[in-house]
Amino acid sequence: MQTSLFISARAFPSLITNSSINPNQNPSNAAKNPQFDQFSEKNRGLSSDAAIKVPTAPWMKGPIFLRPDEVLDTEKRNKPRKVEEKTFKALNRRESGVRGKKAMKRIVRYVEKLDERCDVEDTQMDDLSEFEYLGRIAVETSGKRRGGRMPWEREEERFVLRRMKKERVPTTAELILEEGLLNRLRGEASKMRKWVNVRKAGVTETVVNEIRLIWRLNELAMVRFDVPLCRNMERAQEIIEMKTGGLVVLSKKEFLVVYRGGQSSSSEKTDSGQDEISSSLYEREADRLLDGLGPRYMDWWMRRPFPVDADLLPEVVNGFRTPHRRCPPNTRAKLSDEELTYLRNIAQALPFHFVLGRNHGLQGLASAIVKLWERSIIAKIAIKWGALNTNNEEMADKLKHLTGGVLILRNRYLIILFRGKDFLTGEVADLVDDRERLLRRYQHFEETKRESEIEIVEVVTNGKQLEETSKTGTLLEFQELQRKFGEMETRNLETEAEKARLEKELKSQEHKLSILKSKIEKATMELFRLNSLWKPSEREDDIELFTNEERECLRRVGLKMNSSLVLGRRGIFHGVMEGLHQHWKHREVAKVITMQKIFSRVVYTAKALEAESNGLLISVEKLKEGHAILIYRGKNYKRPSSKLMAQNLLTKRKALQRSVAMQRLGSQKFFSYQRERAIEDLKMSLVNLQDSAYQ
């Protein structure tokens, strides 16, 4: 039966034949395919319609006959395949010029041109004109929706807050001076190498005098700023122009060059510039908050608003007192950790309210802080740079004592005070005082009314009727009780209070001792149960004998051994015996190291090991890491079977439970002993107190 076979050019390149072979083909190609040449020579004389026998694979049994038009042409098949492979590689490899944004834009441009050509040409399908019109509308709407961008260039719709570039504000010198003069001054300023230093204290009167002294000989003066003004050169420029009356013509890093001319016009411009700068809502609100608290500190080195200069406030205020405080019901005056963190985060964004540079005379500042607390819950105080003999800890303690506030944060740069949960404003404090005064008035009225309307009772004494007033609940009744039962001295009250305290402590200690005793009973029962599982073996009567020389020789051998068996907190259990016999398998002497401190316990452990292993105890030596127990296996040693080995000992888990139980019992007995001693001391002190009371 003949079957058709489709042969791939890539899988069998040597088996493919061509029916339309040119007789004048290249002999080099024919030499490469000898089978193809033989096949073409055999079938050269046959007609074009005759079947051709093609070579088959080794696993195929019968031959295959195909017509000449069914035979594959390798030359025509290979050419387009090479083009496809090149195109595929070009789209997937990282090659320049064929991928990326530029290539994709070029492709889109070609597609748009193709759409334009298709729109211009008349189509033969009239029925689809409506659909084409709808398609164009969809394309136009999608293009408008995308904003003219490519699909892969579309960004997700999200809100992005971009940082706007700050517009450059012209300086006062640029507004006043001419351009030629300004350029000349800047050229001279760039060559200056001598300057006046402005220290931490700021632009003081000494600095201003030095600048004016330089202006007598030169029209320019260079100033170098130290911290903190070097961190805000715009503010430094404002201060230097305001105090000296000059114009800053050049600013570079921490240096400013000041020109001496234009005093009258510069003041007008600086005032207008200050009005423009302070026109923000934040600064207006801060200024409104600080109005009426005191004079401002004009040498402020940070951004506006200017804080109040606390050094210019009065040191002593007549009639000043710490404000009245009362915590609202169901609240605690103490701040929690979360509240403290929240207040610190709030205070970080607030402006500074005061600037302080002294340690004493802070009553004026305290009164200003109390006024500020009526509008704001936090007072933020900056410490002046360069102020002499200042101590922020002392400042904070005095302000806390004067105001009664809560100190949130304190360091060498600032102090932050919270008014507290129990702070009462002036109006609220007045209302509370009025209410308390009214309550006292009502109480006094009730007391006088009760005393005036006491009933008159008849008291019969020796057959006579006496008219007396009732004394129930009055001071006379208390005085009569004192005369009847004796005056209660203060010393007796203290004795009774101490006696009650000792009795309460004695009762508490006895209760704790009873709990400890119950725990000791439970631990004792648990330890007894675990000890019942361990049946220590007795030493055999038939003991091998060896001389002192042999003992000394074995002792030296054991001490020189590096391998050892460590005995832990579990003590002797079946795992220790297995390890001991494993040591005796390779050597005659075994060295067991125990960490026990008491020598009597070490000797007891050594004898127990000797009895359980049926070996011979050589010696017990004190080493750096503990005590070493040297045991000799004996001359007639025979390793016992694993089933018979240490059947009377505890397992590893039971041994650990026994060790924990022993430790627990020991600690409980120790604490029980301490409780008993404490109870005895309390009883003794109670007896002494009673004896001293009777005396």
Side-chain angles (χ1 to χ4, degrees):
M1 180 177 178
Q2 296 182 356
T3 59
S4 60
L5 177 65
F6 297 94
I7 302 174
S8 174
R10 185 177 297 177
F12 304 100
S14 62
L15 302 179
I16 298 174
T17 57
N18 191 356
S19 60
S20 59
I21 298 176
N22 188 4
N24 298 324
Q25 66 179 2
N26 191 359
S28 60
N29 295 333
K32 292 179 182 178
N33 299 323
Q35 297 179 359
F36 179 77
D37 296 341
Q38 296 176 4
F39 177 73
S40 60
E41 290 176 358
K42 291 179 181 179
N43 299 288
R44 188 174 296 172
L46 299 175
S47 61
S48 60
D49 296 336
I52 302 174
K53 181 180 178 183
V54 294
T56 59
W59 59 83
M60 298 182 67
K61 296 181 180 180
I64 297 176
F65 297 93
L66 296 175
R67 291 182 299 177
D69 56 349
E70 295 179 356
V71 179
L72 299 177
D73 189 357
T74 56
E75 295 181 0
K76 294 182 179 180
R77 293 278 183 175
N78 289 337
K79 289 182 179 179
R81 188 177 301 276
K82 291 180 181 178
V83 176
E84 291 178 0
E85 290 178 359
K86 288 182 179 180
T87 307
F88 178 76
K89 292 177 181 178
L91 290 175
N92 288 274
R93 289 180 181 174
R94 295 182 178 178
E95 297 181 6
S96 61
V98 297
R99 296 185 68 187
K101 293 184 178 180
K102 293 182 179 180
M104 299 304 294
K105 288 180 179 179
R106 196 182 306 115
I107 292 170
V108 172
R109 198 182 305 118
Y110 292 155
V111 173
E112 290 176 352
K113 289 181 179 179
L114 183 60
D115 292 340
E116 292 176 0
R117 293 175 186 174
C118 293
D119 293 340
V120 173
E121 294 178 357
D122 295 329
T123 177
Q124 296 179 0
M125 301 175 64
D126 298 335
D127 298 337
L128 299 178
S129 59
E130 183 178 357
F131 295 99
E132 290 180 0
Y133 178 72
L134 294 175
R136 292 173 190 168
I137 293 174
V139 172
E140 291 177 0
T141 54
S142 62
K144 291 179 181 178
R145 193 183 303 116
R146 294 170 184 169
R149 292 183 233 161
M150 301 302 168
W152 51 87
E153 292 182 352
R154 272 190 307 161
E155 298 180 357
E156 297 180 359
E157 295 181 359
R158 56 184 178 181
F159 178 75
V160 179
L161 183 61
R162 299 186 182 277
R163 185 175 180 180
M164 302 300 294
K165 188 175 181 181
K166 186 178 179 181
E167 296 182 0
R168 183 181 179 277
V169 180
T171 61
T172 310
E174 293 176 353
L175 295 174
I176 294 176
L177 301 179
E178 297 179 358
E179 185 177 358
L181 177 60
L182 185 61
N183 293 334
R184 181 181 66 81
L185 293 174
R186 286 179 176 175
E188 294 178 1
S190 62
K191 299 176 183 179
M192 297 181 68
R193 294 295 179 269
K194 294 183 179 180
W195 56 79
V196 178
N197 287 319
V198 178
R199 303 297 181 182
K200 294 180 179 180
V203 185
T204 59
E205 193 67 26
T206 306
V207 175
V208 174
N209 293 335
E210 289 182 5
I211 293 173
R212 289 176 179 173
L213 184 62
I214 294 172
W215 278 349
R216 293 179 182 179
L217 303 176
N218 192 0
E219 59 183 357
L220 295 177
M222 181 179 283
V223 184
R224 182 182 181 274
F225 290 89
D226 199 355
V227 289
L229 277 174
C230 66
R231 300 173 182 173
N232 190 356
M233 293 303 293
E234 294 180 359
R235 180 60 194 149
Q237 181 176 345
E238 293 178 8
I239 294 173
I240 202 71
E241 288 180 350
M242 177 183 62
K243 290 198 171 185
T244 61
L247 296 174
V248 176
V249 296
L250 183 64
S251 174
K252 187 175 182 181
K253 293 184 179 180
E254 67 271 14
F255 294 93
L256 290 179
V257 180
V258 190
Y259 175 56
R260 66 184 177 185
Q263 286 84 352
S264 60
S265 60
S266 63
S267 60
E268 298 175 358
K269 294 293 182 180
T270 51
D271 293 341
S272 62
Q274 288 177 2
D275 294 338
E276 293 176 358
I277 293 173
S278 62
S279 61
S280 64
L281 179 62
Y282 174 80
E283 294 168 1
R284 288 200 304 270
E285 290 295 325
D287 289 333
R288 185 181 60 82
L289 187 67
L290 299 176
D291 286 342
L293 297 181
R296 301 297 181 88
Y297 182 65
M298 302 309 296
D299 290 343
W300 181 237
W301 56 86
M302 296 178 68
R303 60 188 178 92
R304 293 171 182 259
F306 299 141
V308 176
D309 192 354
D311 294 344
L312 301 179
L313 296 175
E315 296 184 0
V316 179
V317 178
N318 296 327
F320 174 79
R321 61 175 183 174
T322 304
H324 181 71
R325 291 180 174 271
R326 175 166 294 184
C327 195
N330 301 326
T331 57
R332 297 178 62 185
K334 187 177 180 181
L335 292 176
S336 62
D337 295 340
E338 293 80 6
E339 292 172 342
L340 184 62
T341 305
Y342 175 72
L343 290 173
R344 284 177 178 173
N345 293 337
I346 290 177
Q348 187 177 5
L350 293 177
F352 283 92
H353 303 121
F354 303 95
V355 180
L356 183 61
R358 65 188 183 192
N359 299 333
H360 307 284
L362 303 179
Q363 283 191 4
L365 176 59
S367 62
I369 289 174
V370 172
K371 290 180 183 178
L372 177 65
W373 277 344
E374 295 181 357
R375 308 175 188 175
S376 174
I377 62 174
I378 292 175
K380 198 171 180 181
I381 307 164
I383 300 174
K384 287 184 179 180
W385 286 71
L388 301 177
N389 301 325
T390 55
N391 187 353
N392 59 81
E393 185 177 0
E394 187 176 353
M395 293 177 185
D397 291 341
K398 288 190 176 181
L399 288 174
K400 184 179 177 182
H401 174 70
L402 290 172
T403 61
V406 181
L407 182 63
I408 294 178
L409 184 62
R410 174 190 61 83
N411 53 32
R412 56 184 296 189
Y413 304 110
L414 56 91
I415 297 171
I416 301 176
L417 291 172
F418 173 57
R419 69 181 185 182
K421 299 179 183 179
D422 53 354
F423 176 78
L424 299 177
T425 60
E427 297 178 357
V428 177
D430 294 340
L431 290 175
V432 171
D433 292 339
D434 295 342
R435 183 65 178 173
E436 289 181 350
R437 198 179 301 112
L438 184 62
L439 289 176
R440 285 195 295 270
R441 189 186 306 161
Y442 285 157
Q443 290 175 358
H444 180 69
F445 176 75
E446 290 177 358
E447 184 69 17
T448 54
K449 193 71 175 176
R450 185 181 64 83
E451 290 178 358
S452 62
E453 294 181 358
I454 293 176
E455 297 178 355
I456 298 175
V457 296
E458 292 182 0
V459 180
V460 180
T461 305
N462 298 327
K464 297 181 180 180
Q465 294 184 354
L466 299 176
E467 293 184 355
E468 294 183 357
T469 58
S470 177
K471 302 176 182 179
T472 305
T474 60
L475 180 61
L476 295 175
E477 182 184 9
F478 178 71
Q479 292 175 353
E480 288 180 359
L481 290 174
Q482 278 189 334
R483 285 193 298 271
K484 184 177 180 180
F485 297 102
E487 295 183 357
M488 300 178 66
E489 299 179 358
T490 307
R491 186 170 59 86
N492 294 336
L493 291 175
E494 293 178 354
T495 304
E496 293 294 330
E498 183 67 18
K499 181 179 178 182
R501 188 187 66 81
L502 290 176
E503 290 177 352
K504 183 179 179 181
E505 183 67 21
L506 180 62
K507 186 177 180 181
S508 175
Q509 292 291 342
E510 289 177 349
H511 177 66
K512 292 179 180 179
L513 180 61
S514 63
I515 294 174
L516 269 176
K517 287 183 177 180
S518 63
K519 290 183 178 180
I520 288 172
E521 291 179 0
K522 291 181 181 179
T524 305
M525 294 297 294
E526 180 68 18
L527 186 60
F528 178 76
R529 184 183 66 82
L530 293 171
N531 286 333
S532 62
L533 301 176
W534 180 25
K535 299 177 182 179
S537 58
E538 298 180 357
R539 189 77 174 101
E540 295 181 357
D541 297 334
D542 187 10
I543 303 175
E544 295 184 12
L545 300 176
F546 53 92
T547 62
N548 295 331
E549 290 81 3
E550 291 177 345
R551 183 186 295 274
E552 182 65 23
C553 180
L554 292 174
R555 189 183 73 84
R556 291 181 180 180
V557 170
L559 291 175
K560 291 180 181 179
M561 290 171 56
N562 293 327
S563 60
S564 60
L565 181 65
V566 181
L567 198 64
R569 64 174 297 176
R570 292 178 176 85
I572 301 173
F573 63 100
H574 75 283
V576 174
M577 304 312 301
E578 289 180 358
L580 186 62
H581 286 288
Q582 189 67 21
H583 275 262
W584 281 345
K585 181 180 179 181
H586 303 283
R587 54 191 68 84
E588 294 181 348
V589 180
K591 181 167 66 173
V592 182
I593 295 177
T594 178
M595 304 298 177
Q596 294 172 340
K597 304 296 182 181
I598 303 174
F599 187 73
S600 60
R601 298 298 304 172
V602 176
V603 173
Y604 175 78
T605 303
K607 291 182 179 180
L609 280 172
E610 184 183 14
E612 296 292 341
S613 63
N614 292 327
L616 298 175
L617 179 63
I618 298 173
S619 65
V620 178
E621 303 291 338
K622 179 71 173 69
L623 301 179
K624 184 188 296 184
E625 57 270 12
H627 288 84
I629 302 172
L630 304 178
I631 301 178
Y632 175 55
R633 69 180 182 181
K635 300 176 182 178
N636 300 324
Y637 170 73
K638 185 178 180 182
R639 181 183 176 90
S641 61
S642 59
K643 295 182 180 180
L644 300 176
M645 187 187 302
Q647 289 183 350
N648 57 335
L649 298 179
L650 298 175
T651 61
K652 187 176 182 180
R653 178 177 295 180
K654 296 293 184 182
L656 180 61
Q657 293 178 2
R658 178 177 176 272
S659 175
V660 172
M662 290 177 62
Q663 184 179 3
R664 185 188 299 114
L665 183 60
S667 62
Q668 288 174 355
K669 287 183 177 180
F670 172 75
F671 288 117
S672 175
Y673 175 73
Q674 284 188 340
R675 298 288 182 195
E676 290 175 354
R677 291 290 301 274
I679 290 172
E680 291 177 0
D681 294 341
L682 287 173
K683 288 181 179 180
M684 186 64 66
S685 59
L686 192 61
V687 170
N688 295 335
L689 187 64
Q690 290 177 355
D691 295 342
S692 62
Y694 290 142
Q695 292 176 0

